[in-house]
Amino acid sequence: MHLTRLALTDFRSYTDVDVPLKPGVTIFSGPNGEGKTNLVEAVGYAATLASHRAAQDAPLIRKGADQAIIRAAISTSANDALVEIELNAGRANRVRLNRTPLTRPRDVLGVLRTVLFAPEDLALVKGDPGDRRRFLDDLLVAMAPRYAAVRADYDRVLKQRTALLKSAGPKGGPKGNRQSREAVTATLDVWDAHMARTGAELLVAREHLVTALRPHVENAYTAVAGDGRGPAAIEYKRSFESQPADRAATVAAGSAQTGSAEAGATTHGERVRAAEHALREALLEVRASELDRGVCLAGPHRDELELSVRGLPARGYASHGESWSLALALRLASYDLLRAGREDPVLILDDVFAELDAGRRDRLAALVAQAEQVLVTAAVPEDIPSLLTGAHYRVAAGTLTEAPDAT
Ligand SMILES: Nc1ncnc2c1ncn2[C@@H]1O[C@H](COP(=O)(O)OP(=O)(O)OP(=O)(O)O)[C@@H](O)[C@H]1O
Ligand SMILES: [Mg+2]
């Protein structure tokens, strides 16, 4: 798929901008702070309903305005689509698809698919486990949008169960208006069941995804870092003990695509049920400490995606360049997985070349040059390998000017 147009109104630093886009490479260059990332951030938002660098929507609305609008026109081999997103300060956002308002904004997920590489990706390697869980969940939703609902369900259950645990108060603490432990325990049984059910679905999907992603990460790491620099490895680590049968089932079905029916409904169902059982048991085991501490101690919200390079954990051991290569490998692997048997997602490279040495730059350029559409930003156009030529816009003070020469 590719974008044919991106139009922004009061988004970040842009009052009004309307850019026609073509397949192939489009470069946005310009000095720091002129609005290059703002453009590609809008594209990412149209695909995922979230910014890759702001947790809230407020910073996306231009200072002084109370509404931002993103319009993205998308062309696939099957059809054309128009996604329109209205970001409202203090009110719910609104999404229209082909001019029809959507009751549930998340129904737009999957219409535009993107893979975005950005300097923030370094957090995938160096950041908290939460950054890596978000990476997996975002990819899961991009692969199969129905996981947006699974994720939202789990987050809701987790929040409510945590509130319940807190209401029990610490062991031996003053009673006050807190509920008695007996009352909380009875209600907890119900929440444990909810948590185990939604949690199992989420974590089995993540495990499945990691198995599918692994060979792509290994290949992409070698492709970016060069021969003999790897291997890089990824491993999903549950926050609680798994049943052996449950793990065997995960490995056996690992080659099938996430969310696809080919995995065999029974096999997938069995794996989810086994994980549900294991999580339920784990929750019973940690219940006393959960009540003491007022936090949920088992479940996919505490799982980890372990990354390693040459057998050493990436976090804390990998060099800066190795960490970058690994982050790139995770994104390239996502791209490989997302395009398998489907339309290419739109590839976005925000300021990535400046961080890489010449060899890595050229290898990355060679890998992405064949993509249906690549949007590239750079402060210094010379940082972009010559292999990536195409349309070129200069970005300055909220306006785009098409540069006559390619690169
Ligand atoms: N809500 C907003 N309203 C007005 N201006 C904003 C808003 N959010 C960000 N900006 C401005 O946008 C600019 C940042 O734009 P952007 O991040 O796209 O820069 P860039 O061209 O990618 O720069 P760099 O080369 O440093 O990455 C900053 O000057 C910032 O003040
Ligand atoms: Mg930028």
Side-chain angles (χ1 to χ4, degrees):
M1 62 174 61
H2 62 270
L3 287 161
T4 54
R5 185 187 156 206
L6 175 70
L8 305 176
T9 305
D10 291 330
F11 182 89
R12 290 279 197 187
S13 54
Y14 292 97
T15 316
D16 249 312
V17 68
D18 194 337
V19 207
L21 294 160
K22 292 202 184 84
V25 177
T26 302
I27 292 168
F28 300 99
S29 74
N32 296 137
E34 296 289 337
K36 304 179 296 294
T37 301
N38 293 346
L39 281 177
V40 293
E41 182 180 36
V43 175
Y45 197 100
T48 62
L49 297 181
S51 157
H52 71 284
R53 57 176 179 173
Q56 305 294 324
D57 289 345
L60 308 183
I61 302 173
R62 193 171 64 84
K63 191 168 183 292
D66 53 16
Q67 179 186 69
I69 298 171
I70 303 171
R71 283 193 184 83
I74 300 131
S75 175
T76 71
S77 55
N79 52 30
D80 291 346
L82 177 66
V83 171
E84 294 171 287
I85 300 171
E86 216 182 80
L87 299 164
N88 294 308
R91 281 188 294 131
N93 296 339
R94 289 203 291 209
V95 178
R96 295 200 302 169
L97 177 59
N98 299 326
R99 312 221 176 262
T100 307
L102 299 180
T103 324
R104 285 186 313 186
R106 70 169 183 247
D107 288 341
V108 82
L109 297 171
V111 175
L112 171 62
R113 294 188 303 141
T114 57
V115 173
L116 194 153
F117 297 65
E120 287 79 5
D121 288 343
L122 204 52
L124 288 178
V125 180
K126 299 199 174 201
D128 296 332
D131 291 314
R132 288 177 287 282
R133 288 192 294 264
R134 194 169 326 114
F135 163 77
L136 287 179
D137 291 346
D138 286 347
L139 181 55
L140 210 51
V141 172
M143 296 283 290
R146 72 173 194 91
Y147 281 105
V150 175
R151 184 185 192 177
D153 284 350
Y154 184 74
D155 287 346
R156 202 185 49 246
V157 173
L158 176 63
K159 227 178 175 168
Q160 292 178 334
R161 192 174 176 278
T162 305
L164 182 65
L165 287 170
K166 284 198 196 312
S167 76
K171 200 178 184 178
K175 276 258 160 27
N177 58 359
R178 289 191 189 99
Q179 298 186 49
S180 74
R181 283 211 166 194
E182 293 71 44
V184 167
T185 304
T187 324
L188 262 181
D189 286 338
V190 178
W191 284 109
D192 282 10
H194 285 319
M195 181 130 155
R197 203 184 54 246
T198 53
E201 209 178 331
L202 185 61
L203 84 84
V204 167
R206 284 186 190 163
E207 286 174 340
H208 201 172
L209 178 65
V210 169
T211 308
L213 205 55
R214 184 172 298 122
H216 295 285
V217 173
E218 287 166 6
N219 290 340
Y221 188 84
T222 312
V224 173
D227 282 334
R229 301 289 171 88
I234 61 172
E235 192 70 52
Y236 191 80
K237 199 89 179 141
R238 289 187 185 184
S239 53
F240 58 94
E241 279 297 314
S242 305
Q243 310 284 348
D246 182 29
R247 287 204 65 80
T250 308
V251 174
S255 55
Q257 255 207 356
T258 301
S260 74
E262 296 94 76
T266 28
T267 321
H268 180 77
E270 276 166 18
R271 282 207 317 279
V272 174
R273 274 194 297 283
E276 182 178 343
H277 183 74
L279 181 48
R280 194 83 198 259
E281 300 271 294
L283 288 171
L284 278 178
E285 258 171 51
V286 294
R287 182 174 282 186
S289 2
E290 286 191 322
L291 283 165
D292 290 344
R293 294 170 54 184
V295 282
C296 290
L297 292 174
H301 66 290
R302 293 176 73 96
D303 292 355
E304 168 68 299
L305 173 66
E306 290 180 342
L307 308 175
S308 63
V309 177
R310 287 196 307 278
L312 290 173
R315 194 185 182 196
Y317 288 86
S319 76
H320 184 73
E322 284 173 339
S323 302
W324 244 108
S325 301
L326 189 52
L328 282 175
L330 288 170
R331 293 292 179 204
L332 284 168
S334 309
Y335 183 71
D336 284 345
L337 213 54
L338 279 168
R339 78 197 295 206
R342 306 205 252 177
E343 301 261 333
D344 278 10
V346 174
L347 200 52
I348 301 171
L349 306 179
D350 181 28
D351 226 2
V352 296
F353 291 107
E355 295 278 351
L356 300 172
D357 62 33
R360 284 172 203 225
R361 270 183 203 175
D362 289 341
R363 284 191 292 271
L364 178 63
L367 286 173
V368 306
Q370 301 310 315
E372 179 173 336
Q373 186 172 50
V374 193
L375 309 179
V376 186
T377 79
V380 182
E382 289 71 33
D383 283 347
I384 301 174
S386 53
L387 192 62
L388 294 181
T389 53
H392 182 178
Y393 290 95
R394 293 197 191 280
V395 182
T399 54
L400 303 188
T401 323
E402 191 156 11
D405 56 322
T407 318

Short mmCIF file of all heavy atoms in Angstrom, two decimals, residues 36-37 53 350-351 377, ligand 2:
data_model
loop_
_atom_site.label_atom_id
_atom_site.label_comp_id
_atom_site.label_asym_id
_atom_site.label_seq_id
_atom_site.Cartn_x
_atom_site.Cartn_y
_atom_site.Cartn_z
N LYS A 36 9.92 18.04 10.41
CA LYS A 36 10.03 16.79 9.62
C LYS A 36 9.37 15.63 10.37
O LYS A 36 8.57 14.89 9.80
CB LYS A 36 11.51 16.46 9.35
CG LYS A 36 12.28 17.57 8.66
CD LYS A 36 13.73 17.21 8.44
CE LYS A 36 14.51 17.02 9.73
NZ LYS A 36 14.65 18.27 10.53
N THR A 37 9.75 15.49 11.63
CA THR A 37 9.18 14.38 12.40
C THR A 37 7.68 14.57 12.59
O THR A 37 6.91 13.59 12.57
CB THR A 37 9.90 14.25 13.76
OG1 THR A 37 11.28 14.01 13.51
CG2 THR A 37 9.34 13.09 14.57
N ARG A 53 5.89 9.24 19.88
CA ARG A 53 6.73 9.96 20.84
C ARG A 53 5.97 10.74 21.90
O ARG A 53 6.58 11.30 22.80
CB ARG A 53 7.71 10.88 20.12
CG ARG A 53 7.04 11.88 19.22
CD ARG A 53 8.08 12.81 18.61
NE ARG A 53 7.44 13.75 17.72
CZ ARG A 53 8.06 14.77 17.15
NH1 ARG A 53 9.33 14.97 17.40
NH2 ARG A 53 7.41 15.57 16.35
N ASP A 350 12.62 7.86 10.22
CA ASP A 350 12.78 9.20 10.77
C ASP A 350 14.17 9.36 11.35
O ASP A 350 14.47 8.80 12.40
CB ASP A 350 11.70 9.44 11.85
CG ASP A 350 11.80 10.84 12.44
OD1 ASP A 350 12.26 11.76 11.73
OD2 ASP A 350 11.41 11.01 13.61
N ASP A 351 15.01 10.10 10.64
CA ASP A 351 16.30 10.48 11.20
C ASP A 351 17.17 9.30 11.60
O ASP A 351 17.89 9.37 12.58
CB ASP A 351 16.02 11.30 12.48
CG ASP A 351 16.88 12.55 12.52
OD1 ASP A 351 17.63 12.78 11.56
OD2 ASP A 351 16.79 13.28 13.52
N THR A 377 13.17 11.03 6.62
CA THR A 377 13.50 12.38 7.06
C THR A 377 14.98 12.45 7.42
O THR A 377 15.55 11.47 7.89
CB THR A 377 12.70 12.83 8.30
OG1 THR A 377 13.30 12.27 9.47
CG2 THR A 377 11.24 12.43 8.23
MG MG B 2 12.93 14.90 13.90
#
